[in-house]
Amino acid sequence: PLGNAQAAESLDAVLETVFDNFPVVRCFVGFFGPDGQLVVQAGKARESGVSKAAARGASTYSRTIVERVQRDAVAILFNPSSEEPDDELDSESVVRLKIRSAMCLPLFRDDEVSGVLYLDNRAGTQSFCQDDLYFASVLAHLISLTLEKEEFYQLETRVMLKALQSLEAEGKAQVFSSGGDDDSLGVKFF
């Protein structure tokens, strides 16, 4: 769903905020495609020597946790050492990936889960807590709002271009490139 470089930069800034404020080893933002499969759009890993694909979350996250967030539209705080462990989440992938703590939060579009913000910690003894989940849910909400704003901007731009093309076809306007580096257009009305 990232339509331009500005939206991608916004996601990168969110991931920097995550790294500055959470005991996280890996995090990513991903969106569900039409087939329901997760496509990672931006990711970050604290581990040295991690490939770009791994940093972007490719095959390095608990699918069980992500699928539960997608299915139930709820944020999940996974901490296997908690007093109330969730046996459904204590899956083979969690064990294989050595996840000590994880959070996964839904990203919404039109009241539907369109993606996730995923964070995990695989090192040390620090685990995520309820306060972390609260702060991460604020970030997830901001991501959702940013994407809605981007979609609105793209729709508004398409409508405006269609109107200008119609005016141009009627001989009432001329649309031309302004010659700048930012792909902006100029319009001359008659």
Side-chain angles (χ1 to χ4, degrees):
L2 297 181
N4 66 25
Q6 186 175 7
E9 287 174 15
S10 295
L11 289 182
D12 288 340
V14 168
L15 297 180
E16 284 297 325
T17 300
V18 167
F19 265 64
D20 290 345
N21 291 284
F22 293 102
V24 63
V25 171
R26 263 175 228 247
C27 63
F28 66 81
V29 173
F31 299 96
F32 299 107
D35 60 356
Q37 293 297 309
L38 185 68
V39 177
V40 175
Q41 294 288 320
K44 192 166 175 65
R46 198 177 299 275
E47 301 164 352
S48 60
V50 173
S51 70
K52 285 186 179 183
R56 291 178 57 88
S59 303
T60 61
Y61 61 91
S62 170
R63 284 177 173 66
T64 305
I65 292 173
V66 170
E67 288 169 1
R68 177 119 168 244
V69 169
Q70 182 182 21
R71 180 189 72 214
D72 297 344
V74 296
I76 290 180
L77 170 61
F78 173 73
N79 187 349
S81 62
S82 72
E83 294 177 16
E84 298 176 28
D86 188 334
D87 292 334
E88 181 184 341
L89 296 178
D90 201 7
S91 67
E92 180 183 319
S93 64
V94 169
V95 174
R96 181 176 39 81
L97 294 170
K98 300 176 183 160
I99 296 172
R100 296 182 189 269
S101 186
M103 289 190 291
C104 189
L105 301 99
L107 303 176
F108 291 97
R109 178 176 172 240
D110 299 328
D111 296 327
E112 297 287 325
V113 176
S114 63
V116 295
L117 170 60
Y118 178 93
L119 303 79
D120 72 29
N121 185 348
R122 302 172 193 199
T125 57
Q126 285 188 305
S127 295
F128 298 121
C129 65
Q130 285 296 329
D131 288 342
D132 294 330
L133 185 64
Y134 176 77
F135 183 57
S137 56
V138 170
L139 290 174
H141 183 69
L142 290 173
I143 292 169
S144 295
L145 289 174
T146 299
L147 296 174
E148 283 181 25
K149 179 182 170 188
E150 171 63 22
E151 288 177 9
F152 177 75
Y153 174 77
Q154 288 178 1
L155 175 64
E156 187 178 70
T157 300
R158 285 192 303 270
V159 168
M160 185 174 61
L161 285 174
K162 189 173 182 176
L164 288 173
Q165 289 169 344
S166 178
L167 287 171
E168 189 172 36
E170 295 172 13
K172 296 179 181 177
Q174 179 183 8
V175 180
F176 56 91
S177 173
S178 66
D181 293 336
D182 60 359
D183 295 329
S184 60
L185 299 174
V187 180
K188 181 178 181 181
F189 293 97
F190 304 113

